[in-house]
Amino acid sequence: MASEDRPPLKSLGSVLVVGGCGFLGSHIVRQLLDSYSCDISVLDLRTTTNRYPNVSYHEGNITSLDSLRPIFSAVKPTVIIHTASPAFTSGNAKLHQGKARSLFHSVNVTGTSNLLACASETPSVQAFIYTSSSSVIHDSVSPLCNANESYPVLTSPFQPEYYAETKALAESLVLSHNRHPSSPHLLTASIRPAGIFGEGDLQLIAGMMKALAKRQTAFQLGPNTNLFDFTYIRRHAAPCRLDHERADGQAFFVTNAQPVYFWDFARAVWAAAGDPVSRSCPAGIWTINETLGLAIAGLLEWIMWVFTAGTKQPSMTRGVVKYSCMTRYFDTGKAKSVLGYTPVWGLDEGVARTVRWWKEKEQGKVEPGLGEKAIENDEGEMRSEGEKVAAVVVET
Amino acid sequence: MRAADVIYYTFHVQELRSIVQWKIWHHPVHERDPEKEPVSLRVCFDLLDQTSRSFSAVIQELHPELLVPIALFYLILRGLDTIEDDMTLPIEKKDALLRDFHTINEKEGWSFTGSGPDEKDRELLVQFHYVTEEYRKIKPVYREFINDITRKMGAGMADYCNKAAKGNAGVETIEEYDEYCFYVAGLVGQGLTQLFVESGLANAALKDRPQLQKSMGLFLQKTNIIRDVREDWDDKRRFWPREIWSKYVDNFEDLFTPANQEAALNCSSEMVLNSLNHADECLFYLAGLKEQSVFNFAAIPQAMAIATLALVFRNPDIFKKNVKMTKGAACQTMLDSTQNLSKVCEVFRKFVRQIHKKNTPKDPNFLKISIACGKVEQFIESIFPSQNPQALVRQEAPETEEQKKEREEAKWDIIYMLMIVMGTLFVLSFIMIGIAWLVGARFDLAFSELKDGNWRSLGKDNARKMAAKYDRGEL
C-alpha cells in the first residue's frame, strides 16, 4: 500500500496555498505537512478556520493586487497552489444574476489574473497550479461518457453556467502564462476535479444528508444506469509530478477513477448514515422515470414561482432531475500516465470516513469546516473547490 | 425434454427461440473432416466428446492450424486433472505422476489403468497412447509450449495435493486462492496465448501481457468455484479462501446453514467481486484476437462466465444445489458471443447491469461491487466510445443576442397585428352604428326591449306598434 513505497520527503521550497483555509485548500495543506518538506504559507480572505501549526497564515484579498504584493514579497513562493473560488451556485436562480455573477468574475477571473501577475513578477516562483473544474467542458445537460482532455472547453453560448465559464476563463489565463516570454521561470498547469467530497465538505454530502432528513431516500429518478464520477478529498503521499517536459501548460481531469452508478453512491452515503430504507434496497424503492420526474419538477417549479413570485425554487427542480439521471464520468488516464496520479483512498473508504465525520459534526464533536461559513456568507467568502492533488514536485 | 422444460419454455419463448436459432443458424467457422483423419486422431476427438461436450464443440470449429494442437492440449490437461482429482491414488504415486506428466507426452504407448473405477474420465487415461501418438506429430514449437505448461501445472497440482494430504485441505489466503487458480487455469491462458500468437491468429502484443492472459483463466476458474461451492463441499473440498469467508462465518460449513443465509450471501458477494475484477481485462484480451474461430473459442467461455456470475450473485440457491443456466439462456449467450468484440461487450454490459440491479446497500461490499461494474462499463466505453468529444459544441447553439432580438421582434409583430385587426373592427363597427343612428335607428327602444327579455325579432308591424307605445306624446 501507500506507506510502503512512499517516496522520501521531497523539498518543494516555499509553497503558497491560496484558499488554504477552505475545504480543499486545507486538505492540501495537511498533505504537504504530512508528505513533503517545505515551508507552507496560506493566503485566504479570512484565516480563522482549518488552521494547522507550523503554517504561516496571511489574510489578503486576491481581487486586489495591492493586497497581494506584500504577501508575495514576504513569502517568496516557489510553488503556488491556487484553490480559491466562490461556492458554486446554479444558474437558474434569481440570486445568480447580478451579485453572484460579479462575484464569480471578480474572484475567479480577476483574482486568478492578479495572482498570475504577482507570480510573473516574483522570480522565485517556478510553478503555478490552478484548481479548475470538470464543469469547464460540460454544458450541464449532455452526458459525459469517459470524457478526456480532448473535449473542448465550453464558453458562451455553449456554457449555460456562468460559474463554469469563469473557471474556464481563469484556466485559459493560467495555461497561457506557461513559459510566457515575459516570465520564462513560470510553469503552469490546471487540475479539473469532479464531485469532490470528504471531511469538511458541506456541498455534496450536505445535499444528500438533507434529502435523508426529509425522508426522500425511497425515491429514485431514472433507471440508475448512469455512471458518475466522485472524488474523495484525502490522499496520502502519492505525489503528482509537474514534469518540465510533459505536464506544464496542460489541464488534467482528476477523480477517484471509480465511476459508480449515481444512486448507488447516494444510497451508500445514506446506508452509512443508518438509513433503513436504503439498506433494504432494491426492495421498497420507488423509481420515477426521467420524463415523469421532469414533469413533476416543472409543475413544482411553476407552483413555487406563482406563490413566491419567483424568489424561491422547490428542492426538486428540473435541473436536479436531469443531474441525477445524467452520465458524467471522466477518463483520468492522462493524469495517471503524465502525473503518476493514483487515487489512494477508495470511494467506499471515503464515504465511510466522510459520513463518520458528518455524524460527529452533527453531535457537535468537531468544528464545522469553512464551507458552512461560505454558505452563510455570500459576500465573497473564499471557498476552495477543487481537486485532491496532494502536492506538486517541481523537477528541476 | 422433460415436462418441466416444456412448461418453462412455454413461458420463456424468447429462450426457446435462442435454442432454435443456435441450432439452425450457427455455422462452424471451420469444419474438421473426419474422413481424412487417421484412426488415432478420430479416437482423440471421441475422447474429447466424452470429456467435455461444451468445449469439444468449440474446439472442433477451430482453425485447422490450431485444431489438433488445442484438442490435444485440452486432453493432456484433462488427463492431469483426472489424476489430481482421483482420491483412490496414494499421494506418493500421485505426486510422481503429476510431476512427470510432461515426459509422458513424449513416451510412446503410455497409458494408465490405475485410476479409480468411479473416475469419470478414466477411459481417457486408458486410451492415452492415442493422444501421445498424435502429440508427436504436431509442430515442435507447439509441443514445446504444451509441454512447458504441462510441467508447470503438474508441479503446481502436486504441491497442492501434498498440502491437502497433510490435512490443509482448504485455501487460506486470497493470494493462495489466486495462485491455485493460476495453476489450474491461468497457465492454460498462457499456453493458449502462445499457440494463438505463434500461429499468427492473434495479435503478437498479447504475448507480452501476462496479466491479461492470467485474467482470462482466473475469471473462468473463480466463477466456477463460486457456482460449484455446494458440489465441492459435498465432495469434501473447499476452494473459497478462509481470508474471505472467515469475515462472515466462523466455520466454512456454516455457509450452508439456512439460518446464516444473509452472512452467506454477503460472503458470496465478496467472492463475486473478486472474480468480477478480472472482467475488464478479459475484454481487453479478446480485443487482441483476430481470427473468428479463435475469437469464438476464447469468447464463449468468457461470456458464459459473466452470465454465470450474474446468475450466482446474491443467489441463496448456490448453497443448496448446483445452480445452472437454462439452455435457452446459454444458447442466447453463445449466439451473442460468436460474432465480434462489440457484441461480446454488450453481453458483458448486460450481465454487469444485472449484477448492479441485484446489488444492495446492506451488502458490505455494495459500493465496491458498484465500482467493479463501473470499471467494466468504463472499459467498454474506452474501446467503443459512444460520444464524440466535439458533440457538445456541435449541438444547436443556444440563442445568440441577435436571435433573441429577432424573437422579440416577432412577438411584437404579432401583438401589433392583433391590435390593428381589433382596431379596424372597432372603427368599422363605430362607423356602421353611427350611420344607423344618423338615419334614425332607435337604439334606446332596442335596449329596453332587450332588458325586458325580448330577444326575438319583432317584425315590421309590431316594431311600429311598439315605437308608437314609447313615443305616444309626439303624435
Side-chain angles (χ1 to χ4, degrees), chain A residues 137 139 142-146 150-152 154 157-158 224 227 259-261 264 271 278-279 281-282 329-330 347-348, chain B residues 352-353 356-357 359-362 366-368 370-371 373-374 377-378 381-382 386-387 389-390 392-393 395 397-398:
Chain A
I137 62 153
D139 62 5
S142 307
L144 289 178
C145 305
N146 212 27
S150 74
Y151 278 56
L154 303 182
F158 300 101
N224 192 22
L227 290 173
V260 287
Y261 304 98
D264 279 13
S278 298
R279 281 182 60 82
C281 165
Y329 69 102
F330 302 87
L347 215 49
D348 51 322
Chain B
V352 155
R353 288 200 174 164
H356 157 58
K357 211 161 183 169
N359 198 10
T360 163
K362 67 184 164 212
F366 171 68
L367 205 51
K368 282 201 175 102
S370 189
I371 291 167
C373 293
E377 289 216 35
Q378 185 174 26
E381 183 68 33
S382 75
S386 65
Q387 199 173 28
Q390 302 300 325
L392 301 189
V393 281
Q395 280 173 1

Side-chain angles (χ1 to χ4, degrees), chain B residues 17-305:
Chain B
R17 182 168 174 263
S18 303
I19 300 175
V20 175
Q21 274 191 309
W22 177 256
K23 294 266 147 86
I24 297 175
W25 294 112
H26 176 75
H27 296 294
V29 189
H30 305 281
E31 244 168 315
R32 61 177 264 260
D33 186 1
E35 297 297 308
K36 291 181 189 154
E37 291 169 354
V39 181
S40 53
L41 189 57
R42 261 182 278 168
V43 175
C44 286
F45 281 113
D46 286 346
L47 288 169
L48 192 63
D49 277 336
Q50 287 164 29
T51 51
S52 166
R53 282 219 149 269
S54 54
F55 266 106
S56 179
V58 265
I59 290 176
Q60 295 194 41
E61 288 182 19
L62 273 170
H63 190 279
E65 174 68 21
L66 287 180
L67 172 68
V68 178
I70 288 182
L72 296 175
F73 189 25
Y74 183 84
L75 288 173
I76 289 166
L77 298 184
R78 193 74 193 208
L80 209 51
D81 205 35
T82 305
I83 291 170
E84 189 214 6
D85 281 353
D86 194 338
M87 292 302 162
T88 65
L89 289 176
I91 180 67
E92 299 77 22
K93 185 159 192 193
K94 202 189 239 189
D95 183 273
L97 274 172
L98 289 172
R99 286 186 204 281
D100 292 341
F101 210 78
H102 65 286
T103 60
I104 287 164
N105 292 338
E106 315 280 345
K107 278 184 201 149
E108 208 176 324
W110 186 89
S111 65
F112 183 69
T113 52
S115 301
D118 295 333
E119 218 35 60
K120 63 179 181 341
D121 294 329
R122 189 176 194 284
E123 195 56 24
L124 168 65
L125 290 176
V126 172
Q127 304 200 42
F128 207 74
H129 54 95
Y130 290 113
V131 178
T132 57
E133 184 181 339
E134 282 303 315
Y135 176 79
R136 270 174 281 121
K137 293 184 201 160
I138 61 174
K139 283 186 189 166
V141 59
Y142 294 160
R143 283 212 301 261
E144 198 183 301
F145 295 148
I146 293 174
N147 225 22
D148 181 46
I149 300 299
T150 311
R151 182 176 52 78
K152 286 180 185 158
M153 191 185 285
M157 284 175 166
D159 289 345
Y160 179 77
C161 288
N162 279 316
K163 231 179 67 186
K166 284 185 196 131
N168 310 324
V171 179
E172 294 296 305
T173 62
I174 295 173
E175 198 186 332
E176 252 177 73
Y177 176 56
D178 276 7
E179 194 182 74
Y180 171 77
C181 293
F182 175 73
Y183 275 117
V184 297
L187 277 172
V188 185
Q190 261 183 23
L192 287 172
T193 309
Q194 287 169 327
L195 294 173
F196 295 160
V197 172
E198 183 62 34
S199 63
L201 300 179
N203 190 327
L206 282 182
K207 221 166 58 180
D208 306 320
R209 304 299 288 254
Q211 182 56 35
L212 300 187
Q213 303 165 10
K214 189 178 156 187
S215 271
M216 286 292 277
L218 263 57
F219 185 56
L220 303 186
Q221 189 66 21
K222 287 179 169 181
T223 303
N224 286 346
I225 284 175
I226 300 166
R227 184 196 58 198
D228 297 339
V229 64
R230 176 75 209 208
E231 202 182 340
D232 284 335
W233 185 240
D234 289 343
D235 291 343
K236 303 272 168 287
R237 289 187 306 186
R238 160 176 84 71
F239 297 106
W240 290 25
R242 179 191 295 272
E243 193 179 338
I244 290 180
W245 61 258
S246 63
K247 286 188 220 165
Y248 305 91
V249 286
D250 296 332
N251 303 298
F252 188 68
E253 56 264 36
D254 295 345
L255 288 175
F256 305 96
T257 321
N260 297 328
Q261 181 171 306
E262 211 45 48
L265 281 178
N266 290 343
C267 179
S268 72
S269 291
E270 190 172 339
M271 292 295 292
V272 168
L273 170 65
N274 179 291
S275 178
L276 188 58
N277 276 323
H278 296 289
D280 59 328
E281 289 187 329
C282 295
L283 290 175
F284 196 175
Y285 182 97
L286 291 176
L289 300 179
K290 293 186 265 188
E291 205 271 336
Q292 185 71 50
S293 73
V294 171
F295 179 83
N296 292 357
F297 172 71
I300 289 177
Q302 300 297 329
M304 295 300 229

